[in-house]
Amino acid sequence: MSRRSSLLVPLKSIERELICPICAELFTQPLILPCQHSVCHRCVRELLMPSRDDSFSTDAGSESSNPGSPRARGPSPCTEKLERLVRSGSISSPGWRRSSVTPRVTTFPCPGCQHDIDLGERGISMLFRNFTLESIVERYRQAARAAVAIMCNTCKPPVQEATKSCMDCKASFCNECFKMNHPWGTPRAQHEYVGPTTNFRPKVLMCPEHEMEKVNMYCEVCRRPVCHLCKLGGSHANHRVTSMSSAYKILKEKLSKSIHYLISKEDQVRTQISELEVMMRHTEENGQLAERRANEHFEHLFETLQERRTEMLRSIEQSRSLRVERLRAQVEEYQGMLENSGLVGYAQEVLKETDQSCFVQTAKLLHVRIQKATESLKTFQPAATPSFEEFVLDTSKEELLLKELSFSGVPAPPVIDLSRCRVYNEGLIHWRLSEDSLPTDHHIVEFRKLGAEEESRWSATERVYGCSTVVSDLAGDARYAFRVKSCRNGVFSPCSPEVSFHTPPAPVFGFLFNEKCGFSAERLQLSKRRDSVESVAGTSFLLAAERVQTGSYICLDYIIGDTGISHGRHYWAFRVEPDSYMVKVGVASDSKLTEWFHNPRDTSSPRYDHDSGHDSGSEDACFEVSQPFTLLTVGMGRLFIPKASASAAGDHSSRVLPMPQRIGVCLDYDAARVFFYDADTMRCVYERPVDCSGTMFPAFGLLGHPEISDCTRSRLSYLLRSSKSC
């Protein structure tokens, strides 16, 4: 007993271990998550069902925060983060609960280790209650409010202070009431009692999956107690288990050894604490010194900028004064040319002189002045220009330098890699760092919606520890700006140059290529993931060429998506390799696909296919009415827009566009229209009505031409593998 007492620590010093990471309060009915961290029953319930009580709870309500608790409930950063994850959709909600209008969340990140916790269909009921932690919290509460006594639950007024608590009756009693409720010689006398407490725990831990079974084994894979039914045919059937007594002995021995090791290293820990305290003091001093030095540098910059400002403004003022003086003198000179004033008035007075010698003496110089005035009048030229173009100040470079002003230990700003970024319902943002950039702790991605009221407000993601992240909940048919900044030692680098992306006009439609319906394994090569396909030249091409006198023929092989569309608006995107000979992309109904897949695919006439890219009469007629398919021709680095009608002019130049790197298709089933986009800029290049009388499928046709080696293959890669993929 004395040895055990020597290892005990004051309860007050373990308070930080008894705080729930979500509510930042003492644990209340703590539950053990699969990652072995604990959270309050109430916190998990509010998180999983934020607007309703969770019917999966095993306890009828949870204990409210005790007013005598040394800590009061308050907002926690973990709570705010989890709420943001719920709103953004990062926390999954796979289904709807019966008789409930609220989606039930089953997956959420552990606030302690950030690992995803999947509770499955059983929800909270699959979690064990941490009775050990609950007992420690109760002892801590009692130590914190030692002056508050636990009263007897059965006393008549005046109520006496309790001296015992019965774990079977789940009540506290004074001495007299305990004797009355537990008479000697009755089964009640065998009840287990402890000191006064408000924490009543069950005698035996029951299995949450098999409620009538006691846990008697320990699963070493899942690290949780299980019953024999879990091992026989439950979720732990193939897991390695051990007896509860063996697990108890091993874990207790390991924990005791670890505690003894820590206690034996107490001097070392105290030394390290002293070192850390010295480092904290030095950090404060060095931080203040760095702040003063940075302030001095900025003051010097301000002084330099003020000096340059004064000098440049003085130059403008001197030039302005000089020009105004010159123009003022010129004005006075021209005013002298007016009648009865200045030079003209003086000359008129000289003309009144009758003495010839006196007149000649005076008029000679006057005539020279009059001639100069006359010449200046004929060739008018201002003495100074009013423009100050030479004084225009361009500070764009200096502003850029100031924006990039940073400490020597801050990494260079990252650069967003446009070639790897994809923006659909979600945005996949990639960036890279310069080769000589300093190591970074994490990155922050900021984004904002352009062309709206909230354009000026930037939103930020959580910390990103790699060089890519997914930004969720982007509005459809909107333009967003993105930028990235790096952080090292708590100091952020300048932001990367902004880039903008346009989200699709409709929700993303996820599908893969169908390898069963109409797929020709001989002429089409499909990737294992079924997200890319290419046409290949085979023996059938050579055999078919024998039937064609010219040696030229068309062989169009179709492949479709594995998911159809019967309502709503949907968008998908793909990439066609630039060296592809010809690929047709678009949509087709199930009836049209049946016709295509049951007819021969090779013929010597290009008029066989209504949308073959040739100017046949059947093709032009096809586009005058709504058809159950629409296909655009893409190939040889170009995209071909079909004619609007049969009467359209024969000029092909206006209908041939450069092939976009990525092509997007949007089908509005309800409006019976299909749109084709440049997926990088979201510019609509073509639209037309389409007959949506049946189920519509993404359709693709590939053509191979074995006569030209560089164009024997047409390749197409589908970019949207699922509705969540970017």
Side-chain angles (χ1 to χ4, degrees), residues 17-152:
E17 303 294 333
L18 310 180
I19 302 301
C20 173
I22 296 182
C23 63
E25 187 189 356
L26 289 175
F27 281 107
T28 302
Q29 295 184 353
L31 301 178
I32 304 177
L33 300 178
C35 61
Q36 304 303 305
H37 290 100
S38 296
V39 292
C40 291
H41 174 278
R42 174 177 54 188
C43 295
V44 178
R45 186 181 62 186
E46 292 176 353
L47 176 62
L48 299 185
M49 295 298 297
S51 60
R52 291 176 61 93
D53 290 333
D54 197 327
S55 63
F56 289 90
S57 172
T58 57
D59 302 294
S62 60
E63 179 185 350
S64 61
S65 180
N66 195 314
S69 172
R71 296 181 62 90
R73 177 177 291 270
S76 168
C78 293
T79 308
E80 297 175 358
K81 178 178 180 180
L82 291 171
E83 289 176 353
R84 287 197 304 270
L85 291 173
V86 172
R87 291 195 299 268
S88 65
S90 298
I91 296 179
S92 65
S93 176
W96 295 79
R97 198 176 68 188
R98 292 184 179 179
S99 69
S100 173
V101 296
T102 306
R104 180 168 61 87
V105 179
T106 63
T107 303
F108 63 95
C110 170
C113 61
Q114 300 303 314
H115 289 152
D116 288 339
I117 304 300
D118 188 1
L119 299 182
E121 293 298 325
R122 292 179 58 86
I124 296 178
S125 60
M126 70 159 289
L127 300 178
F128 279 106
R129 189 167 164 181
N130 195 339
F131 290 106
T132 301
L133 177 59
E134 194 170 346
S135 300
I136 297 174
V137 171
E138 178 61 26
R139 292 200 298 270
Y140 175 81
R141 290 181 187 274
Q142 292 180 6
R145 57 175 188 236
V148 180
I150 298 177
M151 308 307 292
C152 177

Side-chain angles (χ1 to χ4, degrees), residues 335-381:
Q335 285 179 347
M337 299 180 189
L338 299 178
E339 185 178 3
N340 300 324
S341 64
L343 182 61
V344 174
Y346 175 66
Q348 290 175 344
E349 293 297 327
V350 171
L351 288 175
K352 297 177 182 180
E353 178 62 48
T354 58
D355 186 275
Q356 294 181 359
S357 58
C358 292
F359 175 81
V360 172
Q361 182 184 10
T362 305
K364 182 61 178 176
L365 180 60
L366 180 60
H367 183 257
V368 174
R369 294 177 61 192
I370 292 294
Q371 280 185 330
K372 289 183 178 180
T374 303
E375 291 176 0
S376 66
L377 188 62
K378 292 179 180 180
T379 59
F380 175 74
Q381 185 69 29

Side-chain angles (χ1 to χ4, degrees), residues 25 27 74 101 172 197 217 257 259 287 293 323 331 382 385 387 405 430 450 512 530 532 551 553 596 598 632 671 725:
E25 187 189 356
F27 281 107
V101 296
S172 297
T197 182
M217 290 180 287
K257 288 182 178 179
I259 294 174
R293 290 177 177 175
R323 295 184 188 192
V331 169
T385 175
S387 174
L405 182 65
H430 280 268
L450 301 178
L512 296 173
R530 294 193 292 131
S532 66
Y553 64 94
W596 286 345
H598 288 80
L632 237 60
S725 175

Side-chain angles (χ1 to χ4, degrees), residues 467-625:
C467 286
S468 66
T469 189
V470 175
V471 181
S472 304
D473 286 345
L474 300 180
D477 198 14
R479 195 162 192 85
Y480 283 87
F482 296 86
R483 65 185 185 187
V484 185
K485 58 183 178 181
S486 304
C487 180
R488 184 172 184 265
N489 296 331
V491 182
F492 284 96
S493 71
C495 291
S496 66
E498 294 182 21
V499 298
S500 61
F501 295 96
H502 202 293
T503 57
V508 171
F509 179 63
F511 67 90
L512 296 173
F513 289 121
N514 196 328
E515 60 181 348
K516 299 179 180 179
C517 182
F519 172 70
S520 174
E522 182 181 1
R523 294 190 292 267
L524 294 180
Q525 183 175 341
L526 190 62
S527 65
K528 293 183 179 180
R529 300 175 63 179
R530 294 193 292 131
D531 59 355
S532 66
V533 63
E534 67 175 307
S535 65
V536 294
T539 306
S540 60
F541 280 176
L542 301 178
L543 296 176
E546 294 180 351
R547 302 195 300 268
V548 183
Q549 296 178 357
T550 61
S552 175
Y553 64 94
I554 286 182
C555 182
L556 199 61
D557 296 294
Y558 286 99
I559 188 170
I560 64 173
D562 60 356
T563 306
I565 298 172
S566 58
H567 66 277
R569 286 169 55 90
H570 304 274
Y571 174 89
W572 60 94
F574 47 87
R575 180 177 58 253
V576 178
E577 295 298 329
D579 59 348
S580 297
Y581 178 65
M582 190 178 84
V583 178
K584 288 183 174 294
V585 297
V587 295
S589 66
D590 48 2
S591 59
K592 192 65 179 179
L593 292 170
T594 303
E595 175 187 339
W596 286 345
F597 293 149
H598 288 80
N599 286 336
R601 290 268 59 85
D602 56 328
T603 178
S604 61
S605 173
R607 296 177 181 270
Y608 175 80
D609 190 356
H610 290 300
D611 187 22
S612 62
H614 296 267
D615 293 327
S616 63
S618 60
E619 176 188 357
D620 294 335
C622 165
F623 282 92
E624 291 180 351
V625 294

Side-chain angles (χ1 to χ4, degrees), residues 145-257:
R145 57 175 188 236
V148 180
I150 298 177
M151 308 307 292
C152 177
N153 298 133
T154 58
C155 268
K156 295 181 180 180
V159 180
Q160 301 294 319
E161 182 177 345
T163 58
K164 298 181 180 67
S165 291
C166 178
M167 303 304 293
D168 295 276
C169 300
K170 292 182 170 52
S172 297
F173 303 91
C174 62
N175 286 331
E176 296 298 326
C177 291
F178 184 83
K179 294 178 181 179
M180 292 178 57
N181 287 273
H182 301 80
W184 183 260
T186 65
R188 281 179 169 267
Q190 305 300 321
H191 285 190
E192 178 185 358
Y193 64 91
V194 295
T197 182
T198 58
N199 177 36
F200 299 98
R201 53 190 289 181
K203 289 185 176 181
V204 180
L205 196 61
M206 308 301 290
C207 177
E209 296 186 23
H210 309 93
E211 299 177 357
M212 302 303 296
E213 298 294 331
K214 302 176 182 178
V215 294
N216 52 9
M217 290 180 287
Y218 180 79
C219 178
E220 297 182 358
V221 177
C222 301
R223 296 185 300 175
R224 60 177 293 168
V226 296
C227 68
H228 69 283
L229 293 181
C230 293
K231 176 59 180 175
L232 290 177
S235 57
H236 305 269
N238 298 322
H239 293 180
R240 181 180 177 181
V241 299
T242 184
S243 65
M244 188 63 67
S245 59
S246 176
Y248 170 81
K249 181 179 179 181
I250 293 174
L251 290 176
K252 189 167 186 179
E253 183 178 355
K254 288 182 177 180
L255 183 60
S256 299
K257 288 182 178 179

